[in-house]
């Protein structure tokens, strides 16, 4: 066992884990306010990334394209909630889940109709991110990775503050806690739901653009991230932003440790895709609501 | 006058009805895993068929090319194949994936429909049930063994790592590469499977570095290889390790995705490059691509040329036999031998097939990416000397 690799593997894990956390944030935002698990999140991530890519292809500045993509998926999230999810308020949770699975198929199909449905694409790295990176703990981090981590942490921090300090954030938590009670004090549950979906769309585009910049854009890859980060939210707790951060980093680190120390022992490797799930199972056996999720107690 | 016009129309309709139809069906990944290669491949098949129709390559025969997406899913491939053969009476099947082709082997043998896969796995044409399957170019095994020979000549005893796609396509050449390395005195120290979701390859590359790996051989598509190269550049490993790969790893797709991280990547393929403008095959690729309003990236992709090669072989076989049935295509394909070899100009050597020879353009070149993003040949057209010893065909 080569312990010299350990700091590098940990650092690489933190970097990729931060991106996982950002991608997982959309799940948390929606679940935190409406108790809905959005299985179409990966498709929204892909939509945001491809909107930004299409805009840069038409000559737009990368940063402006990223911003417009975030606004576009903000609007898309709001639209999805208004058209599909609002009608499902009060319906059994399995019906709502089926709607999001159906949405995933529809958005996926629509994306396949665009020029980006097939093939592999890559952003032209903006000048500010294309220079030399930094050397940390014996491993080199590119500017793209650093920017990705910073953007992820800024958004995660911003939403943590939003839910803990802002009136709207506390209102959203109240709606998640008890819709009927929130409605009885005059809270617009519809508005809260719409905002949650819109914010989830916004963070999805940010994750998509960062992922696209780091490792290229493919529809399968980007849409697949939605499911890849699912263990992150289960591990951290579906309704916890802090859980998404810790869960993301934990999964990222576990993946890298497995790839660094176990892949060489297993023919063909690939333990990075399995090992985090083993840890996830163990954690869930001990804490079924995740590391930071709310433990719900029903009194009868 | 009216009667003459009616008679003329009737005659035209009768001739059309008497015209034989040749159906060529393609099934591959236009979407889904490996679609970065499959989409361009499909476009190549489609466009070459259009070109053949426009040139009246098959006088008296109506050419019907059908291109369908199977999303790299073997069940979909099987369904498409059954539809082509069962309902459309297909003359030839143009396949794509390794898994799909291997799964269909016994069925292909049973229905006797000549098949030209996009997968260059040697196992497609080796052993039982291989009579009707023909590889358009050299196998993945021969491509990678040629790269191992190149390494062994330069650096005997060198440590090599093999990175392959987690699929039958990726695993196809592993055994042959191991055997060749043993004979040539180089070491395969690690074999790792890496798919299209490789967001970070730090652990993989750092482990290779600590194991003293100097050469990394890839059997994958361009997307995952581009991510490995970008990470290798970030980790300052490009000077310490030489990255190389078989047909589906390289070409314009790789340099477009990896940028300058692809510099010096060594690639084994049988195809001519887009920038070899003096080659008649490449001139034809450009002409057909432009006529069909394809995007520059599609036309530049070697997979567009690959699709054209597969379609051109099937169409040439029908032209030679003047018989659009599957038996006619088999007869036409197996006639491409000796002085009757087929040379559409897409590959560095002619396409030769016979009842015993099921590998078309067997010659290949090693090419290296330069700073302009183009691949330049570093060897002439050649065949691996050791490959027939490593993998004697049954």
């Amino acid at each position: 066992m080569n312990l010299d690799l350990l700091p590098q593997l940990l650092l690489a894990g933190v970097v990729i884990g931060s991106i996982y956390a950002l991608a997982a944030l959309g799940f948390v935002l929606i679940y935190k306010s409406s108790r809905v698990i959005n299985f179409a999140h990966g498709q929204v991530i892909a939509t945001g990334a491809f909107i930004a890519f299409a805009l840069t292809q038409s000559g737009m500045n990368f940063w402006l394209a990223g911003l417009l993509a975030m606004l576009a998926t903000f609007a898309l999230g709001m639209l999805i909630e208004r058209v599909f999810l609002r009608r499902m308020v009060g319906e059994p949770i399995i019906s709502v889940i089926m709607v999001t699975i159906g949405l995933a198929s529809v958005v996926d199909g629509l994306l396949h109709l665009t020029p980006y449905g097939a093939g592999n694409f890559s952003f032209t790295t903006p000048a500010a991110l294309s220079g030399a990176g930094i050397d940390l703990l014996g491993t080199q981090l590119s500017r793209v990775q650093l920017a990705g981590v910073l953007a992820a942490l800024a958004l995660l921090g911003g939403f943590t503050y939003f839910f803990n300090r802002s009136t709207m954030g506390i209102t959203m938590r109240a709606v998640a806690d008890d819709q009927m009670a929130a409605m009885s004090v005059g809270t617009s549950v519809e508005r809260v739901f719409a905002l949650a979906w819109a914010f989830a769309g916004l963070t999805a585009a940010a994750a998509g653009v960062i992922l696209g910049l780091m490792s290229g854009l493919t529809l399968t890859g980007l849409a697949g991230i939605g499911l890849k980060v699912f263990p992150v939210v289960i591990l951290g707790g579906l309704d916890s932003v802090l859980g998404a951060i810790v869960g993301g980093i934990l999964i990222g680190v576990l993946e890298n440790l497995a790839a660094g120390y176990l892949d060489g022992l297993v023919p063909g490797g690939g333990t990075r895709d399995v090992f985090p799930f083993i840890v996830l199972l163990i954690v869930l056996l001990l804490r079924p609501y995740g590391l930071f999720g709310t433990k719900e107690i029903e009194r009868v | 006058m009216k009667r003459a016009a009616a008679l003329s129309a009737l005659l035209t309709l009768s001739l059309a009805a008497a015209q034989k139809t040749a159906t060529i069906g393609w099934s591959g990944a236009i979407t889904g895993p490996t679609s970065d290669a499959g989409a361009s491949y499909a476009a190549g098949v489609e466009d070459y068929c259009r070109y053949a129709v426009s040139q009246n390559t098959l006088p008296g025969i109506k050419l019907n090319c059908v291109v369908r997406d199977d999303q790299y899913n073997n069940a979909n491939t099987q369904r498409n194949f059954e539809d082509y053969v069962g309902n459309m009476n297909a003359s030839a099947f143009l396949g794509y994936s390794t898994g799909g082709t291997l799964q269909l082997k016994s069925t292909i043998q049973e229905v006797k429909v000549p098949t030209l896969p996009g997968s260059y796995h040697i196992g497609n044409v080796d052993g039982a049930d291989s009579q009707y399957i023909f590889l358009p170019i050299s196998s993945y095994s021969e491509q990678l063994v040629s790269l191992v020979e190149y390494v062994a000549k330069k650096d005997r005893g060198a440590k090599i790592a093999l990175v392959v796609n987690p699929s039958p396509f990726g695993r196809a050449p592993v055994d042959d590469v191991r055997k060749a390395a043993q004979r040539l005195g180089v070491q395969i120290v690690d074999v790792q499977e890496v798919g299209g979701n490789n967001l970070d390859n730090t652990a993989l590359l750092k482990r290779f570095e600590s194991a003293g790996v100097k050469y990394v051989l890839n059997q994958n598509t361009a997307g995952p290889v581009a991510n490995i190269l970008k990470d290798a550049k970030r980790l300052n490993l490009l000077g310490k390790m030489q990255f190389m790969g078989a047909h589906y790893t390289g070409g314009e797709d790789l340099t477009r995705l990896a940028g300058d991280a692809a510099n010096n990547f060594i690639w084994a393929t049988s195809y001519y490059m887009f920038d070899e403008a003096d080659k008649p095959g490449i001139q034809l690729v450009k002409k057909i691509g432009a006529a069909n309003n394809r995007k520059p990236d599609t036309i530049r992709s070697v997979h567009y040329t690959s699709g054209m090669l597969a379609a051109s072989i099937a169409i040439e076989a029908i032209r030679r036999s003047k018989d659009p049935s599957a038996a006619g295509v088999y007869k036409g394909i197996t006639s491409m031998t000796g002085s009757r070899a087929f040379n559409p100009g897409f590959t560095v050597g002619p396409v030769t097939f016979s009842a015993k020879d099921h590998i078309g353009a067997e010659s290949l070149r090693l090419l290296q990416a330069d700073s302009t993003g183009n691949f330049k040949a570093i060897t002439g057209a050649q065949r691996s000397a050791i490959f027939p010893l490593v993998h004697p065909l049954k």
Side-chain angles (χ1 to χ4, degrees):
Chain A
M1 193 167 173
N2 183 356
L3 285 177
D4 291 346
L5 286 180
L6 188 61
Q8 300 169 42
L9 296 176
L10 291 174
L11 185 64
V14 170
V15 170
I16 196 68
S18 309
I19 314 297
Y20 287 164
L22 179 59
L25 184 60
F27 276 116
V28 175
L29 291 172
I30 291 172
Y31 188 83
K32 203 171 171 65
S33 59
S34 62
R35 291 288 186 263
V36 169
I37 298 169
N38 176 22
F39 283 96
H41 190 58
Q43 279 68 23
V44 182
I45 290 176
T47 306
F50 283 121
I51 289 173
F53 181 68
L55 292 173
T56 57
Q57 288 298 99
S58 67
M60 188 179 283
N61 171 282
F62 171 82
W63 305 103
L64 184 60
L67 197 66
L68 286 179
M70 286 165 75
L71 291 176
T73 47
F74 181 91
L76 176 68
M78 210 170 241
L79 183 77
I80 289 173
E81 191 281 332
R82 182 71 188 86
V83 176
F84 301 103
L85 273 300
R86 193 165 293 184
R87 294 159 202 273
M88 301 304 293
V89 173
E91 298 297 331
I93 194 68
I94 188 68
S95 307
V96 184
I97 287 174
M98 289 311 294
V99 166
T100 68
I101 291 173
L103 262 173
S105 291
V106 170
V107 178
D108 209 51
L110 290 173
L111 284 169
H112 274 120
L113 295 177
T114 70
Y116 311 110
N120 209 326
F121 309 90
S122 68
F123 282 112
T124 305
T125 311
L129 301 181
S130 56
I134 60 159
D135 195 319
L136 200 63
L137 298 173
T139 196
Q140 290 73 29
L141 294 182
S142 67
R143 288 191 189 185
V144 170
Q145 283 180 312
L146 286 172
V149 172
L150 289 176
L153 293 180
L155 280 164
L156 291 161
F159 277 106
T160 306
Y161 179 86
F162 173 79
F163 278 115
N164 288 328
R165 301 284 175 196
S166 75
T167 311
M168 179 48 80
I170 293 166
T171 307
M172 288 170 92
R173 283 167 56 202
V175 169
D177 203 36
D178 191 332
Q179 283 182 27
M180 294 305 286
M183 283 162 87
S184 70
V185 294
T187 301
S188 167
V189 174
E190 287 89 354
R191 188 161 160 253
V192 165
F193 286 175
L195 210 55
W197 279 81
F199 281 145
L202 185 139
T203 60
V209 170
I210 292 168
L211 285 164
L213 204 52
M214 282 172 65
S215 58
L217 301 127
T218 60
L219 177 52
T220 326
L222 289 165
I225 285 293
L227 288 182
K228 192 174 168 72
V229 298
F230 203 62
V232 169
V233 283
I234 300 290
L235 184 63
L238 268 163
D239 59 352
S240 167
V241 176
L242 178 65
I245 301 171
V246 175
I249 291 175
L250 210 54
I251 294 281
V253 167
L254 287 172
E255 277 188 358
N256 270 278
L257 291 178
Y261 293 120
L262 298 179
D263 270 2
L265 307 174
V266 178
T271 57
R272 70 179 304 150
D273 294 326
V274 181
F275 189 62
F277 284 93
I278 296 171
V279 176
L280 174 72
L281 281 172
I282 295 167
V283 170
L284 288 183
L285 282 174
L286 302 172
R287 289 178 70 90
Y289 38 88
L291 292 173
F292 296 91
T294 307
K295 185 178 183 180
E296 288 183 6
I297 301 165
E298 283 191 31
R299 291 187 175 83
V300 288
Chain B
M1 189 67 185
K2 274 184 183 171
R3 188 176 293 172
L7 273 173
S8 165
L10 197 65
L11 186 66
T12 311
L13 280 172
S14 312
L15 280 174
Q19 201 177 32
K20 295 181 226 166
T21 299
T23 297
I24 297 172
W26 181 83
S27 177
I30 298 177
T31 62
T34 77
S35 65
D36 47 342
S40 302
Y41 196 104
V45 170
E46 206 173 353
D47 291 354
Y48 192 87
C49 286
R50 283 203 193 106
Y51 168 76
V53 170
S54 73
Q55 298 296 304
N56 195 24
T57 307
L58 303 175
I61 296 174
K62 185 187 167 200
L63 181 61
N64 176 31
C65 287
V66 188
V67 166
R68 282 189 190 159
D69 183 15
D70 63 22
Q71 299 175 310
Y72 209 58
N73 177 330
N74 294 347
N76 291 341
T77 314
Q78 173 110 21
R79 208 161 25 244
N80 287 339
F81 178 82
E82 285 168 359
D83 194 31
Y84 292 148
V85 175
N87 300 324
M88 298 185 194
N89 198 23
S91 318
F93 176 62
L94 307 184
Y96 179 73
S97 73
T98 301
T101 310
L102 291 175
Q103 180 177 293
L104 284 170
K105 261 184 105 172
S106 58
T107 315
I108 291 166
Q109 183 70 21
E110 193 183 322
V111 297
K112 299 181 173 53
V113 170
T115 295
L116 293 148
S119 153
Y120 309 137
H121 173 28
I122 192 74
N124 292 334
V125 294
D126 193 19
D129 300 332
S130 306
Q131 197 182 343
Y132 296 93
I133 305 177
F134 300 88
L135 299 193
I137 65 160
S138 57
S139 66
Y140 301 135
S141 292
E142 183 157 0
Q143 292 160 19
L144 284 173
V145 169
S146 297
L147 288 167
V148 176
E149 281 176 326
Y150 174 83
V151 172
K153 259 187 212 159
K154 276 184 67 176
D155 195 356
R156 199 169 167 81
K159 288 183 176 177
I160 300 174
L162 199 51
V163 179
V164 304
N165 192 273
S167 66
F169 151 68
R171 294 171 195 130
V174 173
D175 286 345
D176 288 334
V177 171
R178 282 189 194 277
K179 286 180 202 163
Q182 202 170 15
R183 279 173 175 266
L184 291 164
V186 290
Q187 306 172 58
I188 302 292
V189 295
D190 204 348
V191 179
Q192 290 292 308
E193 296 191 354
V194 173
N197 58 350
N198 60 336
L199 299 176
D200 181 76
N201 302 285
T202 305
L204 177 89
L205 292 166
K206 281 289 179 183
R207 205 154 42 75
F208 286 171
E209 186 189 23
S210 65
V213 168
K214 280 181 73 181
Y215 300 89
V216 181
L217 261 62
N218 294 272
Q219 163 63 354
N220 222 315
T221 55
V225 177
N227 286 343
I228 291 173
L229 291 175
K230 285 194 281 188
D231 283 341
K233 184 189 170 198
R234 171 174 57 83
L235 298 167
N236 296 324
L237 293 174
L238 284 181
K240 297 176 189 166
M241 290 178 198
Q242 173 66 57
F243 291 83
M244 314 166 115
H247 173 74
Y248 279 102
T249 60
E252 297 282 342
D253 292 344
L254 183 71
T255 50
R256 180 172 53 82
L257 294 170
D260 61 358
N263 288 359
N264 297 321
F265 184 86
I266 297 179
W267 179 40
T269 187
S270 298
Y271 290 97
Y272 280 124
M273 297 296 97
F274 179 84
D275 61 330
E276 293 178 284
D278 58 323
K279 308 295 179 200
I282 294 301
Q283 288 166 3
L284 184 62
V285 167
K286 290 179 180 176
K287 183 180 149 189
I288 294 175
N292 288 281
N293 296 318
R294 293 292 180 187
K295 288 185 293 183
D297 284 349
T298 303
I299 304 172
R300 294 183 74 91
S301 168
V302 71
H303 310 306
Y304 186 60
T305 311
S306 311
M308 286 198 188
L309 177 68
S312 70
I313 294 169
I315 292 167
E316 173 67 10
I318 299 168
R319 192 190 68 78
R320 287 183 180 205
S321 68
K322 297 183 178 62
D323 175 3
S325 71
V329 174
Y330 180 78
K331 192 177 158 197
I333 288 180
T334 51
S335 76
M336 296 175 187
T337 183
S339 61
R340 299 200 71 211
F342 176 48
N343 198 348
F346 301 133
T347 50
V348 296
V351 175
T352 59
F353 289 117
S354 69
K356 287 192 173 173
D357 170 16
H358 284 222
I359 301 175
E362 288 165 310
S363 302
L364 57 84
R365 291 183 302 177
L366 304 189
L367 305 107
Q368 190 160 29
D370 65 17
S371 56
T372 64
N374 290 318
F375 278 88
K376 302 290 178 203
I378 55 171
T379 70
Q382 61 180 35
R383 288 209 60 194
S384 159
I386 203 172
F387 182 67
L389 304 173
V390 167
H391 195 121
L393 285 169
K394 292 161 201 146

